[in-house]
Amino acid sequence: MRDRKIFVGRKIRTVRQEHGLTQAAFATRLGISTSYLNQLENNQRHITAPVLLALADKFSVEMRDFAGGDEDRLLADLAEAFADPAFDGQPPASQDIQLVVQNAPAVAHAVLSLHRSLRQSGERLAALDDTIERRGALVEPSPYEEVRDFFHYIGNYIDELDRAGEALAGQLDGMGRDRLMPLADYAARQCGIRVIVEAAAGDPFTLRHYDEKSRLLRLHSRSRAATNAFQIAHQIGLVAYRELIDPVVERADFRSQDAAAVCRIGLANYFAGAVLLPYERFLTAAQELRHDLDLLAERFGASIEQVAHRLSTMQRPVRQGIPFFFARVDRAGNITKRHSAAKLQFARFGSACPLWNVHRAFENPNDILRQLAETPDGRRYLCLATVVTKPSAGFFAPVQTYALSLGCEIEHAGHLVYADDLDLVRDTAFEPIGVSCRICERVDCHQRAVPPLKRRLMVEPNRRGQLPYSF
């Protein structure tokens, strides 16, 4: 597969302007001609490795900033939005969408915000019909949607919280598998938080309850040790590391206080993950154990979900892990958690592709399923899927069950134990999958649920194939 050309004119221009340099002076520092720099800034030429190295050497620029990950996320989301019939007429060409993403990302985000408002307004009108109040048709995004997009576009890596969590882990005498007592002791000594693990009287579903007045943290005895350790680290983050969390929330500039509150919880969760699975130690172990989820969970006394989610956040500049995608899916196919450091980007609306092995995981609850998959853009992935079940609160209590998906592009598969006996070369070994039916262009999919939004339907009453239509 050919290497992708990366156009980063806006980013180069921003670096030059931050240093107060003219094009001529900046080009001289980089060792290139002024005309070449002008072409780079206007996206008429793609950036090359020598220029990247010069930027890193002369201006302390992280090459990761030019890797295109943010643009990939934004490009996928914008292409999905333009596929919606709400944008009547001929959809923009892929090259035009890419130009907007590269040169005017604020415009791209504004279009996404408008599209989300239109969808929500339409869904509410359809659900409530004539009973809805017509005023204020364009609605705000829900707090959870706004926070989800915030983590999505920052690449799910928050450096200051990650390093703070890692530093705290270092203070806890190199916690082994038993992190519960060291964390409880630290909470008592350094934060004045007393931890009690007990059965919640009359409420089997409360995992954590913190009383600010008495500074008492109650945890449920039915929860696994890994869960309770996570909840203690979470509370430490909220109480003792607020000076790190609040500035991140302020920079996000959310539309509502509810979104800010949801984000604060998400950031405390991020901090807890960094404490229990400290970056350098976890990355070293992941490489040593070749990303074996069970062995990593055993070594760190963590859950499979904690390990899989943490692997998707290992994007520290200079010391990056494999760019994984991660998702948690319920039985109906709804994606309840999602993040991708890989090229694969999840659909913002609708369910996941039915050919994705994450759905088959529910049929094999005790296994880690493997799938070699190819998306419509020709990229190939190693996809893992397994089921997780939350502890039951008794015979009559409902049980939470989810499927987890973790995967990476095939070029990284050799670093995973799961690829050892797979044929990574044979074309027919890769199953065709999409992102979601509404934006998938495959014409030969036997599991298609709905036609693609931006293709014209052809309905032939005298002919029937696998689907009742073609396009």
Side-chain angles (χ1 to χ4, degrees):
M1 187 180 298
R2 295 175 55 189
D3 291 337
R4 189 179 63 134
K5 295 180 178 180
I6 300 176
F7 296 87
V8 289
R10 181 183 58 85
K11 293 182 180 179
I12 293 178
R13 189 183 308 115
T14 299
V15 173
R16 176 174 63 81
Q17 292 173 346
E18 286 176 348
H19 287 80
L21 296 175
T22 64
Q23 281 193 337
F26 194 64
T28 299
R29 294 279 297 276
L30 292 177
I32 60 177
S33 68
T34 304
S35 61
Y36 180 34
L37 175 62
N38 183 270
Q39 290 175 321
L40 286 173
E41 289 193 359
N42 288 284
N43 284 325
Q44 296 171 354
R45 298 279 293 273
H46 66 276
I47 195 166
T48 60
V51 176
L52 276 175
L53 292 172
L55 283 165
D57 180 48
K58 303 295 184 181
F59 298 97
S60 300
V61 170
E62 293 287 352
M63 285 189 284
R64 174 179 180 268
D65 295 339
F66 290 81
D70 292 343
E71 290 184 359
D72 287 331
R73 284 185 276 270
L74 190 54
L75 185 64
D77 291 344
L78 201 59
E80 180 184 355
F82 279 125
D84 197 309
F87 291 94
D88 196 13
Q90 183 69 26
S94 298
Q95 296 90 332
D96 294 336
I97 298 176
Q98 191 161 4
L99 283 174
V100 172
V101 169
Q102 290 169 344
N103 294 301
V107 174
H109 282 291
V111 171
L112 289 177
S113 178
L114 175 62
H115 176 246
R116 179 176 53 223
S117 296
L118 286 169
R119 277 190 59 91
Q120 290 177 327
S121 179
E123 289 169 358
R124 291 190 179 189
L125 286 169
L128 302 179
D129 197 20
D130 292 333
T131 63
I132 192 172
E133 291 186 9
R134 299 294 174 172
R135 61 192 181 192
L138 294 181
V139 296
E140 298 287 333
S142 74
Y144 278 94
E145 289 174 329
E146 197 173 359
V147 172
R148 178 199 65 188
D149 286 349
F150 165 73
F151 279 98
H152 180 62
Y153 286 114
I154 65 171
N156 203 26
Y157 177 78
I158 302 100
D159 190 70
E160 56 266 50
L161 284 178
D162 211 295
R163 294 183 185 275
E166 185 176 32
L168 175 55
Q171 296 178 39
L172 299 176
D173 300 324
M175 293 181 301
R177 296 184 70 256
D178 180 15
R179 280 90 43 83
L180 195 59
M181 291 310 299
L183 278 167
D185 290 342
Y186 180 89
R189 288 186 289 103
Q190 300 297 328
C191 309
I193 299 174
R194 188 161 60 97
V195 179
I196 296 178
V197 180
E198 62 182 5
D203 185 3
F205 303 110
T206 299
L207 302 181
R208 170 178 55 87
H209 179 263
Y210 178 65
D211 186 288
E212 292 184 350
K213 185 175 182 180
S214 65
R215 300 184 75 85
L216 179 64
L217 176 62
R218 297 179 182 274
L219 303 175
H220 205 297
S221 59
R222 187 175 287 109
S223 297
R224 298 186 177 102
T227 299
N228 280 337
F230 185 92
Q231 297 300 335
I232 297 174
H234 173 100
Q235 198 65 55
I236 291 173
L238 285 178
V239 172
Y241 288 83
R242 187 155 189 144
E243 73 279 1
L244 290 180
I245 290 176
D246 283 351
V248 178
V249 176
E250 291 171 8
R251 290 199 301 269
D253 193 24
F254 291 112
R255 299 167 184 259
S256 68
Q257 290 300 313
D258 286 345
V262 171
C263 184
R264 193 168 284 108
I265 298 299
L267 293 172
N269 284 337
Y270 185 97
F271 173 80
V275 172
L276 302 182
L277 304 168
Y279 196 100
E280 187 62 39
R281 198 187 318 161
F282 182 72
L283 180 58
T284 300
Q287 293 169 343
E288 173 194 336
L289 300 174
R290 303 188 60 223
H291 302 86
D292 189 303
L293 300 179
D294 289 311
L295 295 183
L296 283 169
E298 181 182 12
R299 176 171 296 191
F300 287 89
S303 69
I304 291 289
E305 182 173 351
Q306 289 171 349
V307 167
H309 188 273
R310 183 58 168 151
L311 283 172
S312 73
T313 69
M314 307 301 285
Q315 296 299 301
R316 179 176 292 178
V318 182
R319 183 78 167 115
Q320 291 177 295
I322 289 176
F324 282 103
F325 64 78
F326 167 78
R328 190 179 73 181
V329 180
D330 67 17
R331 288 184 178 274
N334 300 305
I335 300 177
T336 58
K337 284 184 182 180
R338 68 177 175 94
H339 170 64
S340 180
K343 301 298 184 200
L344 184 140
Q345 302 299 326
F346 300 107
R348 293 164 60 81
F349 304 102
S351 298
C353 173
L355 300 179
W356 195 16
N357 70 336
V358 70
H359 303 292
R360 296 199 296 270
F362 291 107
E363 303 167 11
N364 305 271
N366 299 317
D367 299 327
I368 293 179
L369 303 185
R370 303 174 297 172
Q371 179 185 38
L372 296 176
E374 181 177 318
T375 50
D377 60 3
R379 297 188 184 277
R380 293 179 169 180
Y381 300 88
L382 170 61
C383 305
L384 309 176
T386 190
V387 165
V388 293
T389 301
K390 306 296 184 181
S392 170
F395 180 77
F396 291 103
V399 177
Q400 285 184 306
T401 302
Y402 299 100
L404 305 179
S405 178
L406 183 74
C408 65
E409 292 184 57
I410 206 66
E411 64 189 82
H412 304 291
H415 299 290
L416 278 66
V417 66
Y418 304 101
D420 282 356
D421 59 345
L422 297 179
D423 186 348
L424 306 181
V425 178
R426 182 168 51 89
D427 290 342
T428 54
F430 291 84
E431 298 180 62
I433 66 169
V435 177
S436 74
C437 290
R438 62 190 302 277
I439 58 174
C440 180
E441 291 292 302
R442 294 192 189 278
V443 298
D444 56 351
C445 178
H446 62 286
Q447 285 286 1
R448 177 175 288 280
V450 295
L453 290 175
K454 65 179 182 179
R455 295 290 294 272
R456 181 180 177 183
L457 280 183
M458 295 184 295
V459 181
E460 301 180 53
N462 297 322
R463 183 177 182 273
R464 167 65 195 253
Q466 288 183 321
L467 301 175
Y469 53 79
S470 58
F471 51 87

